[in-house]
Amino acid sequence: LGAGSYYPSAGLGGGQIPGYAFQANLGIDPMGSPLGIRVTTQLARPDEAQVAPTGARPSIWNSTLDLKLRLPFLGSSRFPNFGLYAVGGGAYVRGQDVRYTTEPTPTSGKTVAIESGWKSNWGYNAGGGATLSLGHKRELFLEARVINYKRSDLYENAHQLPLILGVNWY
């Protein structure tokens, strides 16, 4: 489980400003293996920008299926409680009342449009993190991932950057 800050950019950056996010991870991370797999679900709540169309506060659900690669160069006896890892995979994004920046047209520049109701998209994510063992099957983690998707050809690509601090139980 984890929580942290959330930063929208590109297609999301014109209509939303940073907010907060909560996340839950469920995975298989075999001891001694550099590879693991996990499913992550996250609720992000950016705030609306003052220049955007007004409406309800956006809600964005991100669900990802990731491969996790532990980086072995810190796994020695010199740093037994510290680890680094990389994650990446597919993303399913479902948002409500999200504001998107439109692509410029020959007759007008970029604008911000609100999409009411729930809309779904597929994309990808990649990132990394650090862990610190807390003993007895617990570890503290700090993670940053970039979640990208394309809403439609009318809008710029949407980028999300959640920074999450949390605890894993094994």
Side-chain angles (χ1 to χ4, degrees):
L1 297 175
S5 57
Y6 170 86
Y7 300 93
S9 66
L12 294 172
Q16 279 85 211
I17 59 176
Y20 58 88
F22 299 101
Q23 135 177 346
N25 304 326
L26 180 63
I28 299 169
D29 208 357
M31 188 76 121
S33 172
L35 284 177
I37 188 168
R38 76 174 194 192
V39 175
T40 300
T41 298
Q42 178 183 86
L43 171 62
R45 296 296 310 263
D47 210 352
E48 66 178 288
Q50 297 299 322
V51 297
T54 60
R57 186 176 186 157
S59 296
I60 301 173
W61 284 94
N62 298 303
S63 294
T64 63
L65 176 62
D66 298 318
L67 284 177
K68 180 178 176 183
L69 174 64
R70 275 195 291 272
L71 304 175
F73 58 85
L74 287 174
S76 68
S77 61
R78 187 171 193 159
F79 301 102
N81 297 335
F82 184 73
L84 294 176
Y85 63 91
V87 292
Y92 175 72
V93 179
R94 188 159 168 80
Q96 179 180 23
D97 298 322
V98 179
R99 291 134 183 94
Y100 292 100
T101 304
T102 62
E103 292 284 358
T105 64
T107 58
S108 67
K110 295 179 180 184
T111 60
V112 175
I114 186 171
E115 281 202 342
S116 297
W118 289 98
K119 307 290 188 222
S120 300
N121 308 285
W122 292 96
Y124 65 92
N125 79 102
T131 60
L132 181 64
S133 176
L134 299 175
H136 197 60
K137 301 182 181 183
R138 292 179 311 228
E139 70 181 9
L140 186 67
F141 72 90
L142 177 63
E143 179 177 284
R145 292 184 300 146
V146 175
I147 304 169
N148 295 302
Y149 67 96
K150 178 95 171 151
R151 174 68 195 114
S152 77
D153 290 338
L154 299 175
Y155 304 121
E156 289 184 357
N157 285 341
H159 306 299
Q160 307 172 61
L161 176 66
L163 298 173
I164 303 293
L165 179 65
V167 177
N168 287 325
W169 289 272
Y170 292 96

